[in-house]
Amino acid sequence: MSKKALVSAQPAEGIPGLHGCTEAFEERFDLSSPLAEELQDQPLTPQPARQDPELPPPMALRGLCTLSVVLLWGCVVVSSSSHTTVAPPRDLQITDPGLLGALDVEWKPPPNVQTSSECTVKYKFEYHNTGDTDWKVIFTRKLKFRVGFDLSRTAEVKVQTLLKGRCTNDVEVQSDWIYATFQVPLQGKLESQVQNFHCIYHDWEYLKCTWQPGLPAPPDVHYGLYYWYEGLAQAAQCEDYTEDHGMNVGCTLRNLSQAEYRDLNICVNGSAAATLLRPLYTTLRLQNLAKPSPPRQLVVSMSAAEELHVMWSPPRGQTPPQCLEYEVEMAEDLGEAKPAWQPVSTQMETAATIPRANQSHISCVRVRGRTNFFCADQGFWSEWAQECFSVSRKEDKQLFILIPVILSLSSSLIIFMLIVQCKKRSPAGKPFHASVGC
């Protein structure tokens, strides 16, 4: 390849920001001079080494040429990537489809940007509620998302464009952010919404929620619970309420297996004739509200080494057995009015061996269960299952052996005394015949 072809392989006009670099290069090496044109037309043949001491050696010239090409290419890369920009997305919108907190967020791509084999266009989407410290982040190529918010607070979202590929020399270029917010019109005072809202997912079978009326609670107030999770076409209303003096103060929801490990959006709304009441919005995760029944078939026995063996069965219900952990406690009767329970272990197995610290007469063991950290972030402990085991002490065993001996000796002594008394009452010289009753 000729020097002319080598220099013209990257035209400066097609690379943004390269004009200043090539200008300096051409100023240092004048390609339009007669000498340059003559050199371009001549083949590159080896020349004998020149002996002029004032000129640099041939190896230095080659190094200078290589350095110039490297600097030129570096200038191309830096100038190209530093001058590439991308516009942010357009028309960011938030809409409420009436799903109690699941909002639709969508936007349009920036103008004059299309995904090709040269570059990939993606979006960085972040969202949270006002007051939250952290943003939830999603990287996507989609233009629409449905995400969950707490409708009692303002929803905030932001999106930016990400451009990366050969068109940016594999350097990610980020656009400016665009923002949007959404707020449900709130009615009534904050204290008018229901108080002490609490839910438990019993045995992974049914969800029971309870609440107390807000303040003030008009006599004609009517509360309704509505819920939605992914899979329902629209929000549904509770059909099984708990009442107190004609007022709904609780709700039981069944057949929620499809809502497990998904967001369950809840709204408890109150209505009264002359008062506006603020609704309560919340999002639940069923697995974090699970409470199993107590363990079943708790059996306590003692080995020859005087260790307690404890065994039990998983609780009834739909709780997955692999999702349970158990807490074991033990108490020994030392004559106290109330036994002191001591923790033994927290485990996933349904059996335990407990050494006896004291030679007590009665040892009691109790076990309870809850959802383990493999299946949930948290959960409620079940009620205790308790069993006591009566153990004979060494003193009791010795006493048990001595009682027959004492009774035998006492009987012999009584019989001997009766015989002596009978002899004393018999006439002299008359033979004695033992008879019952003397």
Side-chain angles (χ1 to χ4, degrees):
M1 180 182 294
S2 66
K3 291 184 179 179
K4 181 176 182 180
L6 179 63
V7 173
S8 61
Q10 290 287 347
E13 293 82 3
I15 305 177
L18 186 60
H19 180 70
C21 277
T22 55
E23 213 172 43
F25 182 79
E26 292 176 355
E27 182 180 350
R28 178 66 180 86
F29 303 98
D30 188 2
L31 301 180
S32 62
S33 64
L35 177 59
E37 292 179 357
E38 181 181 353
L39 288 175
Q40 292 170 9
D41 295 334
Q42 292 179 1
L44 296 177
T45 57
Q47 298 294 328
R50 302 178 65 177
Q51 303 299 323
D52 190 346
E54 296 183 357
L55 296 177
M59 292 299 295
L61 288 175
R62 292 180 185 178
L64 179 62
C65 182
T66 303
L67 179 60
S68 301
V69 172
V70 171
L71 292 176
L72 174 63
W73 179 246
C75 188
V76 169
V77 173
V78 173
S79 300
S80 175
S81 61
S82 63
H83 285 77
T84 302
T85 60
V86 62
R90 298 173 296 143
D91 301 333
L92 178 59
Q93 298 181 19
I94 305 176
T95 56
D96 183 6
L99 303 179
L100 311 179
L103 302 180
D104 290 333
V105 183
E106 57 183 326
W107 58 89
K108 294 180 181 179
N112 304 323
V113 173
Q114 295 182 352
T115 300
S116 65
S117 59
E118 296 290 326
C119 257
T120 301
V121 178
K122 294 193 300 183
Y123 304 97
K124 186 177 182 181
F125 169 50
E126 300 188 10
Y127 66 99
H128 74 172
N129 278 108
T130 301
D132 293 342
T133 304
D134 299 325
W135 292 77
K136 298 178 181 178
V137 182
I138 298 176
F139 293 91
T140 181
R141 296 182 183 180
K142 299 180 180 180
L143 299 175
K144 184 176 181 178
F145 266 91
R146 175 171 288 174
V147 290
F149 293 92
D150 178 2
L151 292 186
S152 62
R153 297 182 290 158
T154 302
E156 297 182 345
V157 301
K158 59 181 181 179
V159 187
Q160 69 173 175
T161 308
L162 305 178
L163 184 66
K164 185 178 181 181
R166 292 179 60 185
C167 65
T168 63
N169 297 306
D170 288 328
V171 177
E172 185 177 77
V173 178
Q174 302 177 351
S175 74
D176 294 332
W177 290 98
I178 58 172
Y179 299 82
T181 61
F182 181 86
Q183 174 67 66
V184 172
L186 297 178
Q187 62 181 18
K189 298 180 179 179
L190 179 61
E191 58 269 18
S192 65
Q193 70 181 14
V194 296
Q195 308 293 317
N196 299 325
F197 183 78
H198 182 70
C199 296
I200 296 178
Y201 193 34
H202 292 275
D203 294 322
W204 292 59
E205 290 182 345
Y206 63 93
L207 179 71
K208 187 171 184 179
C209 298
T210 58
W211 61 83
Q212 295 176 351
L215 301 173
D220 62 339
V221 65
H222 175 77
Y223 291 109
L225 184 144
Y226 302 84
Y227 64 96
W228 179 87
Y229 56 86
E230 186 178 355
L232 294 180
Q234 58 187 8
Q237 184 177 6
C238 174
E239 298 179 352
D240 185 5
Y241 285 104
T242 302
E243 296 186 0
D244 182 19
H245 297 90
M247 180 186 299
N248 293 339
V249 292
C251 167
T252 301
L253 300 177
R254 302 180 185 276
N255 302 319
L256 294 176
S257 59
Q258 297 299 319
E260 293 171 1
Y261 296 99
R262 297 181 179 179
D263 287 343
L264 176 62
N265 295 340
I266 298 284
C267 174
V268 181
N269 193 13
S271 60
T275 306
L276 292 177
L277 304 178
R278 180 169 296 190
L280 170 73
Y281 294 99
T282 187
T283 300
L284 307 178
R285 281 293 182 114
L286 293 178
Q287 70 273 10
N288 294 333
L289 302 172
K291 180 179 180 179
S293 296
R296 299 178 299 119
Q297 301 174 349
L298 178 61
V299 177
V300 182
S301 60
M302 190 174 70
S303 67
E306 294 193 353
E307 293 179 328
L308 292 179
H309 287 292
V310 186
M311 300 181 63
W312 62 90
S313 299
R316 294 184 176 88
Q318 300 300 318
T319 304
Q322 70 274 12
C323 287
L324 284 170
E325 66 176 355
Y326 302 96
E327 184 178 36
V328 183
E329 291 187 352
M330 177 183 177
E332 294 184 313
D333 182 13
L334 300 177
E336 301 176 0
K338 185 177 180 181
W341 292 97
Q342 300 294 329
V344 175
S345 65
T346 300
Q347 60 186 59
M348 296 180 62
E349 298 80 9
T350 56
T353 300
I354 308 173
R356 296 176 62 227
N358 301 298
Q359 299 299 321
S360 58
H361 183 60
I362 298 177
S363 296
C364 294
V365 178
R366 63 181 184 180
V367 183
R368 63 179 180 176
R370 72 173 176 185
T371 308
N372 59 39
F373 64 88
F374 292 107
C375 299
D377 296 328
Q378 58 187 16
F380 295 104
W381 284 107
S382 72
E383 302 301 324
W384 291 101
Q386 180 174 325
E387 186 70 25
C388 293
F389 185 80
S390 179
V391 181
S392 298
R393 293 176 292 186
K394 292 182 178 179
E395 295 82 358
D396 296 336
K397 293 179 181 179
Q398 295 173 356
L399 182 61
F400 181 78
I401 295 173
L402 289 175
I403 286 176
V405 175
I406 294 174
L407 290 176
S408 178
L409 292 176
S410 299
S411 300
S412 300
L413 181 60
I414 292 173
I415 293 173
F416 177 76
M417 292 178 65
L418 288 174
I419 292 174
V420 172
Q421 291 294 330
C422 288
K423 284 185 176 182
K424 290 181 178 180
R425 294 181 182 180
S426 299
K430 186 176 180 179
F432 171 73
H433 298 283
S435 59
V436 177
C438 297

